[in-house]
Amino acid sequence: MQNVQPTVFNPAQLYLLEVFSSIKSDDELLEIKKLISDYYAKKLDKLTEEMWLSGELDQKRLDEINKMDLHQWLREQKEQEKDTL
């Protein structure tokens, strides 16, 4: 038999579980999903604006990113993280 360890939730996960337990309809679920999506979109907009203003991001870099295979890039990033652990 496999040694199964219990899942330990952090405070944010516990809060979301509590919120999600009160969802009564598909419409409510869609609203919550949109709220979360909008939250992260706003954070991304703010970050990219800061990068643009600092010069860290410019049109040349955006063009390079546009040509990239982002799925491959993410896989490579994960591999690099594993190698550093």
Side-chain angles (χ1 to χ4, degrees), residues 20-55:
F20 291 159
S21 71
S22 68
I23 293 173
K24 303 295 183 211
S25 70
D26 289 343
D27 287 340
E28 285 183 277
L29 177 59
L30 288 174
E31 289 178 34
I32 296 292
K33 285 180 174 182
K34 182 166 178 11
L35 283 170
I36 293 170
S37 176
D38 289 349
Y39 169 80
Y40 282 108
K42 185 183 269 189
K43 284 186 73 156
L44 181 59
D45 283 345
K46 182 180 178 191
L47 177 61
T48 54
E49 179 70 17
E50 290 171 0
M51 292 174 69
W52 188 270
L53 292 173
S54 73

